Amino acid sequence: MTDREPFEFRVDEFENQPSFRSPEQFAESQERLSKLSKSEAKSFQQLGDWVNENLINCMAQGFEPSDTETQKVIAQHFLWANTVWNLDKQSYLELAEMYLHEPRYQGFYERMNPGLGEFLAAGMKSYANSML
């Protein structure tokens, strides 16, 4: 794959899953992902990994989700998520709720670090209510 070839994203495991997103929103996110070049996809993945690693560090250091250090990381999560969605305050709050209540996301974050999904969602709510 050359750098300008589109990034291939497996949607089959996600497209029929319930979420707050409408079919149109899901299709839009898939279209955006499919237009990422290899280097853009790598940057997208790296930023997502950075966010998760730094949220775990914030938790380990005893920061609250609303603390400045955590909010700096959440700001990067917001940028990361906006790669595939057009998020405003309401949709970012809905995404936080999805992280809390949808088993696929709960499991993903719990496997990384117990309590990470709840910490991320609380941080997202704080960010949305103060910055968006």
Side-chain angles (χ1 to χ4, degrees):
M1 172 188 294
T2 67
D3 184 53
R4 289 304 329 156
E5 287 183 77
F7 172 61
E8 291 186 32
F9 182 76
R10 281 193 51 208
V11 300
D12 55 333
E13 65 183 278
F14 297 106
E15 65 185 341
N16 295 317
Q17 294 292 324
S19 73
F20 78 91
R21 293 175 290 155
S22 68
E24 294 82 17
Q25 289 170 314
F26 183 82
E28 178 187 344
S29 69
Q30 298 315 298
E31 182 178 346
R32 284 183 171 196
L33 281 170
S34 72
K35 290 181 179 179
L36 295 178
S37 69
K38 185 177 178 180
S39 66
E40 290 167 335
K42 184 177 180 180
S43 294
F44 176 73
Q45 180 65 49
Q46 288 173 334
L47 180 55
D49 291 345
W50 182 91
V51 165
N52 293 330
E53 290 167 14
N54 281 278
L55 286 173
I56 292 167
N57 289 338
C58 285
M59 290 175 71
Q61 293 179 43
F63 291 121
E64 294 295 323
S66 60
D67 287 345
T68 301
E69 291 303 313
T70 305
Q71 288 297 292
K72 289 177 183 176
V73 179
I74 296 294
Q76 294 302 304
H77 177 269
F78 183 76
L79 293 174
W80 173 83
N82 265 299
T83 301
V84 293
W85 298 295
N86 284 323
L87 296 170
D88 57 14
K89 179 179 179 176
Q90 184 61 38
S91 58
Y92 200 53
L93 289 169
E94 290 170 350
L95 182 61
E97 286 299 315
M98 189 172 70
Y99 286 170
L100 284 174
H101 301 294
E102 190 170 308
R104 179 180 73 229
Y105 291 103
Q106 288 173 336
F108 175 78
Y109 288 110
E110 284 301 307
R111 281 189 299 276
M112 268 196 244
N113 195 71
L116 179 59
E118 290 178 11
F119 188 81
L120 170 58
M124 291 168 66
K125 290 176 183 181
S126 177
Y127 183 84
N129 288 316
S130 65
M131 302 301 289
L132 302 179

